[in-house]
Amino acid sequence: MKKDKFYKAVVKPVMMYGLKCWAVDKIVNKRMSVIEIRMLRWMSGRTREDRIRIEHIRGSLCVASTEDKMTENRLRWFGRVMRREESEAARTVTITVIEMNVEG
């Protein structure tokens, strides 16, 4: 299926570009999810009227959800930062933000 390969090779990486540094809120997460669902339905030739759950479509196309991939990318980036030496600025700032206690 050519649409499947195109989605995995081009569309998904473009959607995910830079997400590890974004402050992703509920609105951005919902928009990404809607875009993904529309694309997957288009690829599989299904419409909403067919009443097929998106989990079934994802399973048949072997595609993980965008939300899961966003979390995975952010955790991968965090792991890279934490493996840096303690004297580097990115790690110092990250540790400071993690340990920060905001009252109120």
Side-chain angles (χ1 to χ4, degrees):
M1 180 180 239
K2 293 180 182 180
K3 292 178 186 177
D4 181 25
K5 291 180 182 178
F6 181 76
Y7 178 78
K8 289 178 182 177
V10 178
V11 176
K12 191 94 171 201
V14 169
M15 286 174 53
M16 305 302 278
Y17 181 76
L19 279 178
K20 54 188 164 258
C21 301
W22 292 358
V24 179
D25 57 355
K26 290 180 182 179
I27 296 170
V28 172
N29 201 1
K30 182 69 175 174
R31 286 182 182 170
M32 295 288 281
S33 178
V34 168
I35 291 168
E36 177 196 25
I37 291 169
R38 285 183 180 177
M39 183 66 72
L40 293 177
R41 283 199 171 116
W42 172 75
M43 284 173 31
S44 64
R46 306 289 183 183
T47 62
R48 292 187 68 199
E49 289 82 28
D50 294 336
R51 296 199 171 271
I52 297 176
R53 293 192 171 269
I54 193 63
E55 292 85 15
H56 177 70
I57 295 173
R58 263 195 203 111
S60 65
L61 296 173
C62 300
V63 176
S65 73
T66 305
E67 187 174 347
D68 293 343
K69 293 302 281 183
M70 287 191 299
T71 303
E72 181 183 327
N73 285 347
R74 259 187 256 114
L75 288 173
R76 187 180 302 128
W77 175 79
F78 181 74
R80 285 185 188 135
V81 170
M82 293 309 290
R83 285 190 297 270
R84 290 183 175 189
E85 293 187 26
E86 292 182 19
S87 61
E88 291 192 34
R91 177 159 178 177
T92 306
V93 170
T94 304
I95 291 174
T96 304
V97 169
I98 291 172
E99 294 175 351
M100 188 183 327
N101 186 12
V102 179
E103 296 179 16

